Every structure is written in C-alpha cells, then in structure tokens.
Amino acid sequence: KKASKKDSPEVEITSVLENMKGTLKKKQKMVLTYSLIAASAVLVLAVIIYYQHTADQQSREIESRAYNVYYNLYQKKSMSKQEQYQQALDLFQQAYNKQKSPRVLLYIASSYFELEKYDDALKTLNTFTKKHANAKDMLPIVYQKIAAIQLIKGDKEAALKTLDTIYK
C-alpha cells in the first residue's frame, strides 16, 4: 500500500478560498439584500434620532424664552401682567406640543392661574396628575395649586380633600 500524498498548505488555502468565493457568488443576491436592509434600518434610525434631537432642542429654546417672559427677564419692552402671562402661556404650549414635559405642563397651569382662568388651570393640573403621576417631586406643588383654585372657587371640602392627598 502506498501512502497518499497530502497537498501542500498553500494549495489547501487556495482551494478553501475558491470554495468561499463560489459560495459567495451563489449567495450574492441574499447577502446584497440583507446588506440593503441593514443599511436602510441604520438610515431610518439615524433620521429618527436626528429628528428627536432637533425637536428637543427647539423645545428647550422655546421653553427658555417662555421662562424669560414668565419671570419678566431680559425683556426689551415692558408688558402688562396679562400680556406677559398670555405670551408665556403661548410659548409654554408650543414647547409642550414639541415635547411633553411635566415641568412645562405645570407652568402652563401656573400661567392660567395668573391669568385667572381657574377652570383651565384646574383642567391642566388634573391632566398633570393623570399623565405625570410619576413626577413625585412636583405632585405636592400640583395638589397645592389645585387646593388654592378650589378655595378661590369656594369649594372648601374639595380643597381639604386635596390637602389631605398631599398629607398622605
């Protein structure tokens, strides 16, 4: 019996590479399809992230302008309190429409309160308690404002219940 000759390592590597090339040619369409799907997914994700970042940045800019108007900071022309709070309310609502923030919603309610639109303020504060119940640091302020509005409207029993909610 004769021992079979083994091919040299170079020949083996070359044959393996040729086999891989053949396999890739056979599956080229599938590889191209998966590559396009992956590239599309990355592109869509990049567009979504860019849009969110831009919307967040615009919201912060509007919110900053609203704070300046609300607290009458850096204003070039003087406004009456009604104009000041109405303009701040409009800016806060624009910021809230761009990004739903509990802090901005609280300022919307405060603007309504300062404008003496108590029903709108109460409605906004109730929306806050439903949508942003996890904002534990702001809830006592919200309930305090609700109680103040209820006292202004003459509903002392509801105000006591609201204050009891703060206590609990």
Side-chain angles (χ1 to χ4, degrees), residues 124-141:
T124 304
L125 291 169
N126 287 331
T127 301
F128 183 101
T129 59
K130 290 175 187 165
K131 287 188 176 181
H132 303 289
N134 59 349
K136 302 281 186 203
D137 55 335
M138 291 186 226
L139 279 175
I141 298 168

Side-chain angles (χ1 to χ4, degrees), residues 57-143:
Q57 187 175 3
Q58 289 173 346
S59 174
R60 281 193 306 253
E61 289 173 4
I62 294 170
E63 194 176 330
S64 176
R65 287 196 338 245
Y67 290 135
N68 289 340
V69 171
Y70 185 86
Y71 291 112
N72 201 18
L73 303 172
Y74 314 114
Q75 300 301 309
K76 293 180 181 174
K77 67 174 192 170
S78 63
M79 296 183 269
S80 70
K81 288 291 183 186
Q82 291 287 2
E83 290 174 326
Q84 174 186 342
Y85 291 121
Q86 184 61 48
Q87 187 177 358
L89 174 64
D90 294 339
L91 289 170
F92 280 126
Q93 285 175 333
Q94 288 175 19
Y96 188 74
N97 288 337
K98 293 234 181 244
Q99 184 179 12
K100 309 291 187 220
S101 165
R103 185 176 8 92
V104 173
L105 193 60
L106 181 59
Y107 272 98
I108 289 172
S110 294
S111 297
Y112 279 132
F113 184 83
E114 295 297 334
L115 290 169
E116 297 178 2
K117 296 180 179 178
Y118 300 121
D119 291 331
D120 292 332
L122 195 57
K123 188 170 117 179
T124 304
L125 291 169
N126 287 331
T127 301
F128 183 101
T129 59
K130 290 175 187 165
K131 287 188 176 181
H132 303 289
N134 59 349
K136 302 281 186 203
D137 55 335
M138 291 186 226
L139 279 175
I141 298 168
V142 170
Y143 285 121

